[in-house]
Amino acid sequence: MADFQQRDPLSPAFWDERFERHFTPWDKGGVSQALQDFVAAHSPLTTLIPGCGSAYELAFLAGQGWDATAIDFSPAAVAQGKLATGEHAARVVEADFFAWQPAAPLQLIYERAFLCAMPRAMWPQVAARWAQLLAPGALLAGYFFFDDAAKGPPFGIQRAQLEQLLRADFACIADDAVSDSIPVFAGKERWMVWRRR
Protein backbone atom coordinates (compact mmCIF):
# COMPACT_ATOMS: atom_id res chain seq x y z
CA MET A 1 0.00 0.00 0.00
CA ALA A 2 1.36 3.38 -0.96
CA ASP A 3 2.27 5.75 1.85
CA PHE A 4 0.12 8.80 1.23
CA GLN A 5 0.27 12.07 3.14
CA GLN A 6 -3.30 13.08 2.31
CA ARG A 7 -6.07 11.14 4.07
CA ASP A 8 -9.22 13.23 3.54
CA PRO A 9 -11.13 12.31 0.33
CA LEU A 10 -13.10 15.55 0.66
CA SER A 11 -9.90 17.47 -0.11
CA PRO A 12 -8.68 17.94 -3.69
CA ALA A 13 -5.16 17.31 -2.36
CA PHE A 14 -6.14 13.70 -1.51
CA TRP A 15 -6.94 13.01 -5.17
CA ASP A 16 -4.09 15.15 -6.50
CA GLU A 17 -1.60 13.00 -4.62
CA ARG A 18 -3.05 9.78 -6.02
CA PHE A 19 -3.16 11.01 -9.62
CA GLU A 20 0.32 12.49 -9.38
CA ARG A 21 1.67 9.16 -8.05
CA HIS A 22 -0.31 7.17 -10.64
CA PHE A 23 -2.23 5.30 -7.93
CA THR A 24 -5.65 5.02 -9.54
CA PRO A 25 -7.00 1.47 -9.03
CA TRP A 26 -10.52 2.72 -9.88
CA ASP A 27 -9.41 3.75 -13.39
CA LYS A 28 -10.61 1.26 -16.01
CA GLY A 29 -8.53 2.84 -18.74
CA GLY A 30 -11.50 2.99 -21.10
CA VAL A 31 -15.28 2.98 -21.42
CA SER A 32 -17.39 0.25 -19.82
CA GLN A 33 -19.71 -1.90 -21.90
CA ALA A 34 -22.92 -0.88 -20.12
CA LEU A 35 -22.31 2.78 -20.93
CA GLN A 36 -21.64 1.92 -24.56
CA ASP A 37 -24.92 -0.03 -24.67
CA PHE A 38 -26.79 2.83 -22.96
CA VAL A 39 -25.48 5.35 -25.49
CA ALA A 40 -26.40 3.07 -28.40
CA ALA A 41 -29.98 2.91 -27.08
CA HIS A 42 -30.48 6.67 -26.55
CA SER A 43 -30.48 9.85 -28.57
CA PRO A 44 -27.77 12.29 -27.42
CA LEU A 45 -28.37 13.68 -23.94
CA THR A 46 -26.93 16.75 -22.22
CA THR A 47 -24.70 15.00 -19.70
CA LEU A 48 -22.62 15.72 -16.62
CA ILE A 49 -19.84 13.42 -15.45
CA PRO A 50 -18.94 14.42 -11.86
CA GLY A 51 -15.63 13.30 -10.36
CA CYS A 52 -14.49 12.49 -13.88
CA GLY A 53 -10.86 11.55 -13.24
CA SER A 54 -9.32 10.52 -16.56
CA ALA A 55 -12.63 11.30 -18.35
CA TYR A 56 -12.52 8.52 -20.95
CA GLU A 57 -16.32 8.59 -20.94
CA LEU A 58 -16.32 12.28 -21.88
CA ALA A 59 -14.28 11.59 -25.02
CA PHE A 60 -16.59 8.69 -25.89
CA LEU A 61 -19.80 10.66 -25.38
CA ALA A 62 -18.53 13.72 -27.24
CA GLY A 63 -17.43 11.47 -30.09
CA GLN A 64 -21.02 10.17 -30.29
CA GLY A 65 -22.35 13.73 -30.59
CA TRP A 66 -23.45 14.08 -26.97
CA ASP A 67 -23.23 17.45 -25.20
CA ALA A 68 -21.18 16.25 -22.23
CA THR A 69 -19.21 18.07 -19.54
CA ALA A 70 -16.81 16.37 -17.13
CA ILE A 71 -15.90 18.00 -13.82
CA ASP A 72 -13.48 17.24 -11.01
CA PHE A 73 -12.25 19.33 -8.09
CA SER A 74 -8.75 17.83 -8.23
CA PRO A 75 -6.41 19.86 -10.47
CA ALA A 76 -4.30 16.75 -11.10
CA ALA A 77 -7.38 14.76 -12.15
CA VAL A 78 -8.48 17.56 -14.49
CA ALA A 79 -4.99 17.67 -16.03
CA GLN A 80 -5.15 13.90 -16.59
CA GLY A 81 -8.68 14.18 -18.00
CA LYS A 82 -7.65 16.92 -20.43
CA LEU A 83 -4.70 14.80 -21.55
CA ALA A 84 -6.89 11.73 -22.08
CA THR A 85 -9.67 13.51 -23.99
CA GLY A 86 -7.60 15.19 -26.68
CA GLU A 87 -9.77 17.38 -28.92
CA HIS A 88 -12.52 17.41 -26.27
CA ALA A 89 -10.22 18.66 -23.48
CA ALA A 90 -12.11 21.96 -23.13
CA ARG A 91 -15.11 20.00 -21.84
CA VAL A 92 -13.10 18.82 -18.80
CA VAL A 93 -13.55 21.47 -16.13
CA GLU A 94 -12.10 22.01 -12.67
CA ALA A 95 -15.17 22.54 -10.50
CA ASP A 96 -16.86 21.61 -7.25
CA PHE A 97 -19.89 19.39 -7.91
CA PHE A 98 -21.85 21.13 -5.16
CA ALA A 99 -21.34 24.60 -6.68
CA TRP A 100 -21.06 23.95 -10.45
CA GLN A 101 -23.95 25.17 -12.60
CA PRO A 102 -24.82 23.73 -16.02
CA ALA A 103 -25.02 26.00 -19.06
CA ALA A 104 -28.09 24.06 -20.27
CA PRO A 105 -30.55 21.80 -18.42
CA LEU A 106 -29.08 18.36 -17.78
CA GLN A 107 -30.76 15.25 -19.13
CA LEU A 108 -28.28 12.78 -17.63
CA ILE A 109 -25.80 12.53 -14.79
CA TYR A 110 -23.36 9.66 -15.30
CA GLU A 111 -22.28 8.02 -12.05
CA ARG A 112 -18.91 6.28 -12.05
CA ALA A 113 -17.18 5.92 -8.68
CA PHE A 114 -18.30 9.39 -7.55
CA LEU A 115 -20.73 8.39 -4.80
CA CYS A 116 -18.36 5.72 -3.46
CA ALA A 117 -15.48 8.24 -3.43
CA MET A 118 -17.44 10.28 -0.88
CA PRO A 119 -17.46 9.47 2.83
CA ARG A 120 -20.87 8.04 3.77
CA ALA A 121 -21.85 11.15 5.74
CA MET A 122 -21.81 13.08 2.45
CA TRP A 123 -24.22 10.80 0.60
CA PRO A 124 -27.43 12.70 1.44
CA GLN A 125 -25.83 15.88 0.05
CA VAL A 126 -24.79 14.07 -3.14
CA ALA A 127 -28.30 12.67 -3.64
CA ALA A 128 -29.87 16.08 -2.97
CA ARG A 129 -27.55 17.70 -5.50
CA TRP A 130 -28.37 15.04 -8.12
CA ALA A 131 -32.05 15.81 -7.58
CA GLN A 132 -31.41 19.54 -7.77
CA LEU A 133 -29.51 19.29 -11.06
CA LEU A 134 -31.99 16.97 -12.80
CA ALA A 135 -35.51 17.95 -13.84
CA PRO A 136 -38.34 15.40 -13.72
CA GLY A 137 -37.80 12.77 -16.41
CA ALA A 138 -34.02 13.24 -16.53
CA LEU A 139 -31.77 10.27 -15.77
CA LEU A 140 -29.10 9.26 -13.27
CA ALA A 141 -27.29 6.30 -14.79
CA GLY A 142 -24.13 4.42 -14.02
CA TYR A 143 -22.39 2.10 -11.62
CA PHE A 144 -23.26 1.70 -7.96
CA PHE A 145 -20.83 -0.04 -5.61
CA PHE A 146 -22.32 -2.38 -2.99
CA ASP A 147 -20.04 -3.30 -0.09
CA ASP A 148 -20.01 -3.03 3.70
CA ALA A 149 -16.28 -2.61 4.35
CA ALA A 150 -15.78 0.18 6.88
CA LYS A 151 -12.77 1.73 5.18
CA GLY A 152 -12.67 3.52 1.87
CA PRO A 153 -12.67 4.97 -0.63
CA PRO A 154 -14.34 3.26 -2.27
CA PHE A 155 -17.12 3.44 0.31
CA GLY A 156 -19.72 0.80 -0.52
CA ILE A 157 -23.43 1.18 0.05
CA GLN A 158 -26.12 -1.37 0.90
CA ARG A 159 -29.03 -1.77 -1.52
CA ALA A 160 -31.57 -0.70 1.11
CA GLN A 161 -29.46 2.38 1.86
CA LEU A 162 -29.36 3.33 -1.81
CA GLU A 163 -33.14 2.92 -2.09
CA GLN A 164 -33.63 5.09 0.97
CA LEU A 165 -31.20 7.69 -0.35
CA LEU A 166 -32.87 8.04 -3.75
CA ARG A 167 -36.52 6.95 -3.53
CA ALA A 168 -37.96 10.38 -2.67
CA ASP A 169 -36.65 11.86 -5.94
CA PHE A 170 -35.84 8.92 -8.24
CA ALA A 171 -37.39 5.70 -9.50
CA CYS A 172 -35.11 2.81 -10.50
CA ILE A 173 -35.83 1.74 -14.09
CA ALA A 174 -32.82 -0.55 -14.72
CA ASP A 175 -30.69 -2.73 -12.45
CA ASP A 176 -28.27 -5.03 -14.24
CA ALA A 177 -25.21 -7.18 -13.54
CA VAL A 178 -21.83 -5.88 -14.73
CA SER A 179 -19.67 -8.19 -16.84
CA ASP A 180 -16.50 -6.12 -17.21
CA SER A 181 -15.72 -4.79 -13.73
CA ILE A 182 -12.15 -3.93 -12.79
CA PRO A 183 -10.75 -5.76 -9.73
CA VAL A 184 -11.60 -3.12 -7.10
CA PHE A 185 -15.31 -3.31 -8.04
CA ALA A 186 -15.59 -6.94 -9.22
CA GLY A 187 -18.71 -8.71 -7.99
CA LYS A 188 -19.82 -5.65 -6.04
CA GLU A 189 -21.30 -3.26 -8.58
CA ARG A 190 -24.51 -2.94 -10.58
CA TRP A 191 -25.38 -0.86 -13.62
CA MET A 192 -28.47 1.13 -12.63
CA VAL A 193 -30.63 3.76 -14.25
CA TRP A 194 -32.79 6.04 -12.10
CA ARG A 195 -35.39 8.43 -13.49
CA ARG A 196 -36.00 11.73 -11.72
CA ARG A 197 -39.58 11.84 -10.42
Side-chain angles (χ1 to χ4, degrees), residues 45-52 58 61 66-72 91 93 95-97 100-102 106-112 114 129-130 133-134 139-141:
L45 300 172
T46 302
T47 303
L48 172 67
I49 307 169
C52 65
L58 179 281
L61 293 174
W66 289 43
D67 177 10
T69 302
I71 64 172
D72 207 299
R91 297 183 188 208
V93 179
D96 178 348
F97 171 70
W100 177 85
Q101 293 296 327
L106 295 175
Q107 297 168 299
L108 171 68
I109 293 178
Y110 174 63
E111 164 59 24
R112 186 56 171 138
F114 182 67
R129 184 69 173 140
W130 282 337
L133 286 167
L134 294 172
L139 301 175
L140 168 67

Side-chain angles (χ1 to χ4, degrees), residues 12 15-16 19-20 49 51-55 70-86 88-96:
W15 302 101
D16 285 343
F19 275 95
E20 287 162 358
I49 307 169
C52 65
S54 296
I71 64 172
D72 207 299
F73 74 162
S74 159
V78 169
Q80 177 60 38
K82 285 182 177 295
L83 192 64
T85 54
H88 306 294
R91 297 183 188 208
V92 182
V93 179
E94 185 179 330
D96 178 348

Side-chain angles (χ1 to χ4, degrees), residues 108-193:
L108 171 68
I109 293 178
Y110 174 63
E111 164 59 24
R112 186 56 171 138
F114 182 67
L115 184 66
C116 70
M118 295 279 177
R120 294 179 174 102
M122 290 293 296
W123 289 350
Q125 291 167 256
V126 174
R129 184 69 173 140
W130 282 337
Q132 185 181 53
L133 286 167
L134 294 172
L139 301 175
L140 168 67
Y143 295 87
F144 292 83
F145 177 63
F146 297 99
D147 191 37
D148 55 8
K151 285 193 162 187
F155 297 99
I157 196 168
Q158 296 300 311
R159 187 169 295 268
Q161 280 180 294
L162 184 61
E163 277 286 340
Q164 184 176 5
L165 193 66
L166 296 181
R167 68 181 168 211
D169 296 306
F170 294 91
C172 186
I173 60 172
D175 180 355
D176 299 312
V178 177
S179 62
D180 60 347
S181 299
I182 59 174
V184 72
F185 299 125
K188 298 180 179 181
E189 66 178 347
R190 304 281 295 177
W191 168 265
M192 304 179 83
V193 181

